[in-house]
Amino acid sequence: MAEKRVEKEIERQKPNIREHIDGVKFHELAPGVTTHPLVRSGRPCIEGTTIMVMTIAGLQEFHNMDAREIADHLWLELFMVQNALNYYAGHKQYIDICNELSSINGKQMMESPYGDWTRELLSRRESFSKDRQTVENAGH
């Protein structure tokens, strides 16, 4: 009778997320807050996610959400949000400047020729929809 072969359970190692992207390590700025040049352009994020600290700060500042509401809204653990808010409290000026720069970039994009092209496409789409409704109403 042949002996039954029992294979050992293969141990799977979790990838080390700190060295996962192009061999470049994540830099830990504070407990639970990391940065990486290829993740959100190097802006501080909650560890293991791509949620930026400035997103958390914006929800607290502009939407008057507390840490528990933010955690529920973004499907995060409460300690993750608290770590981000602690980092924001210590680096408020830096995060606020990053936030202002990103809003300036958004305004510049809308004022650029690309923004004009987008507006032109949207206006064509609206006129096409109006023409289509006129034809449908005339047919009935």
Side-chain angles (χ1 to χ4, degrees), residues 36-96:
H36 189 282
L38 299 176
V39 177
R40 300 290 187 174
S41 302
R43 292 187 181 99
C45 293
I46 294 175
E47 185 175 18
T49 72
T50 59
I51 299 173
M52 295 181 291
V53 171
M54 80 167 132
T55 302
I56 303 293
L59 288 172
Q60 183 189 41
E61 294 284 322
F62 303 114
H63 296 281
N64 298 320
M65 297 173 82
D66 64 9
R68 182 164 305 284
E69 290 172 330
I70 294 170
D72 291 342
H73 180 67
L74 296 177
W75 293 51
L76 294 171
E77 297 293 330
L78 183 58
F79 74 90
M80 298 167 100
V81 174
Q82 289 171 337
N83 286 340
L85 290 174
N86 290 339
Y87 181 79
Y88 175 65
H91 301 86
K92 187 174 181 350
Q93 185 178 11
Y94 170 71
I95 301 293
D96 290 343

Side-chain angles (χ1 to χ4, degrees), residues 95-112:
I95 301 293
D96 290 343
I97 288 172
C98 287
N99 208 1
E100 287 178 34
L101 288 175
S102 67
S103 68
I104 289 170
N105 289 339
K107 289 175 187 173
Q108 286 176 342
M109 190 172 117
M110 286 306 292
E111 294 169 359
S112 72

Side-chain angles (χ1 to χ4, degrees), residues 5 7 20-21 35 54 57 69 89 95 103 111 117 127 132:
R5 188 172 172 185
E7 298 203 18
H20 188 65
I21 301 176
T35 186
M54 80 167 132
E69 290 172 330
I95 301 293
S103 68
E111 294 169 359
W117 183 71
S127 66
R132 192 166 154 203

